[in-house]
Amino acid sequence: ALVSMKDMLIKAKAEGYAVGQFNINNLEWTQAILQAAEEEKSPVILGVSEGAGKYMGGFITVVKIVEGLIESYKITVPVAIHLDHGSSFDKCKEAIDAGFTSVMIDASHHSFEENVAITKEVVEYAHAKNVSVEAELGTVGGEEDGVIGGIMYANPQECKALVEATAIDCLAPALGSVHGPYKGEPNLGFAEMEEISTLTDLPLVLHGGTGIPTKDIQRSISLGTAKINVNTENQIAATKAIREFLDNDKKTYDPRKFLGPAREAIKTTVIGKMREFGSSQKA
Ligand code: G3H
Ligand code: ZN
């Protein structure tokens, strides 16, 4: 069933696991992630970046694909369609009006005061329609929506102030994670994570889930992280499968012959993450 992230994440935080947000790019991605969730009996969040939404034909098309698959595959686990790194109130509104059940407003590159003001506007619109809202403070490293940035840790007192001023449902405090592969081991701010979790009493979100060692995943979950975003790892797995197929076969022209293995590779990756995050059998 299509639901917001609110109850999913409250339950996850209370029971000590994290729900995965897996980004989708097309039909096969959506199929793979929904199949993985149903097989694992895991709640799941389908992340849709603005770029991916545009690529798939617009937010309305995304919603109809997801709704269609939920019906055809008889999906029974909770599924959220979530705008990933929404860049403005207007983009969040567009996603909500199209039927998204959750949005992230990422105003982290604005001043703190502007971040609060924009996030508040989104929460008012979203909550009236039972849509959950994620906000961000600090800066995730690597490429974030085409902007290559350095890492900036979130300030715990600002996190507390943002949560109190806006009534968001979950918070992504950037604490050293990076979008895309890590150069070496990540250096996550666990002390800040614990402090922010205590100060805000909200489920925390960990962006840049690709390449974080299991011990750091487990520690993050124990310190209040209830949602972990993974994108790059599925892209690498899917592209590897397609490349292997095409490198060995110069004759095939039916795209299903190589998109099928890519879909399987995504499904296998997602199942692995659900078990690692502890969300399997929690739906
Ligand atoms: O918002 C999406 C995530 O933070 C994905 O990060 O591509 O490094 O797994 P990743
Ligand atoms: Zn992210």
Side-chain angles (χ1 to χ4, degrees):
L2 262 188
V3 293
S4 88
M5 304 194 306
K6 191 179 163 77
D7 293 339
M8 257 188 217
L9 298 187
I10 290 174
K11 182 174 183 286
K13 184 165 179 170
E15 295 181 19
Y17 62 92
V19 181
Q21 174 196 303
F22 303 101
N23 287 58
I24 58 173
N25 292 290
N26 62 11
L27 177 67
E28 285 78 6
W29 242 265
T30 316
Q31 292 173 321
I33 296 163
L34 288 176
Q35 284 173 345
E38 190 63 27
E39 273 185 35
E40 286 298 300
K41 290 278 164 269
S42 168
V44 73
I45 298 157
L46 302 172
V48 183
S49 68
E50 290 178 8
K54 207 169 166 189
Y55 178 85
M56 290 175 75
F59 293 151
I60 289 175
T61 306
V62 173
V63 171
K64 292 199 188 276
I65 289 174
V66 173
E67 285 175 345
L69 288 175
I70 286 178
E71 194 178 328
S72 303
Y73 286 172
K74 300 184 170 53
I75 301 290
T76 60
V77 298
V79 179
I81 314 181
H82 176 74
L83 177 64
D84 190 26
H85 293 286
S87 62
S88 64
F89 171 81
D90 286 347
K91 279 288 163 191
C92 291
K93 180 176 182 297
E94 191 188 325
I96 294 166
D97 291 347
F100 278 48
T101 58
S102 186
V103 293
M104 172 185 191
I105 173 67
D106 180 0
S108 60
H109 44 284
H110 291 282
S111 72
F112 175 72
E113 290 72 22
E114 283 169 326
N115 190 346
V116 169
I118 299 168
T119 301
K120 214 170 160 175
E121 202 186 352
V122 172
V123 170
E124 275 164 23
Y125 192 77
H127 281 184
K129 297 175 189 287
N130 273 321
V131 168
S132 51
V133 179
E134 170 183 343
E136 176 173 322
L137 270 171
T139 317
V140 177
E143 190 177 317
E144 195 169 32
D145 287 342
V147 182
I148 315 256
I151 295 169
M152 201 178 76
Y153 282 56
N155 172 316
Q157 289 304 327
E158 282 189 358
C159 290
K160 180 175 157 65
L162 176 85
V163 167
E164 283 171 2
T166 62
I168 50 172
D169 302 286
C170 60
L171 174 70
L175 294 170
S177 63
V178 167
H179 286 135
Y182 287 83
K183 295 178 184 72
E185 288 248 319
N187 190 11
L188 300 181
F190 291 113
E192 293 87 344
M193 198 182 285
E194 184 166 25
E195 193 183 350
I196 294 165
S197 177
T198 308
L199 284 173
T200 63
D201 200 27
L202 271 192
L204 302 184
V205 183
L206 180 59
H207 280 251
T210 298
I212 297 181
T214 303
K215 63 171 175 32
D216 286 0
I217 294 286
Q218 286 169 346
R219 196 160 167 205
S220 299
I221 293 171
S222 75
L223 298 177
T225 295
K227 170 175 181 273
I228 302 175
N229 292 6
V230 176
N231 180 26
T232 304
E233 202 155 323
N234 282 324
Q235 295 186 329
I236 292 171
T239 304
K240 184 169 175 274
I242 293 171
R243 202 166 266 139
E244 273 172 15
F245 183 94
L246 294 177
D247 278 350
N248 292 317
D249 181 329
K250 308 285 177 200
K251 291 202 182 75
T252 296
Y253 50 83
D254 178 349
R256 292 171 296 185
K257 293 284 192 299
F258 54 87
L259 292 176
R263 183 174 58 196
E264 278 310 303
I266 297 164
K267 188 176 160 190
T268 304
T269 305
V270 170
I271 287 175
K273 293 290 163 193
M274 287 170 164
R275 291 180 186 174
E276 186 183 4
F277 299 167
S279 70
S280 294
Q281 310 303 326
K282 296 290 187 182

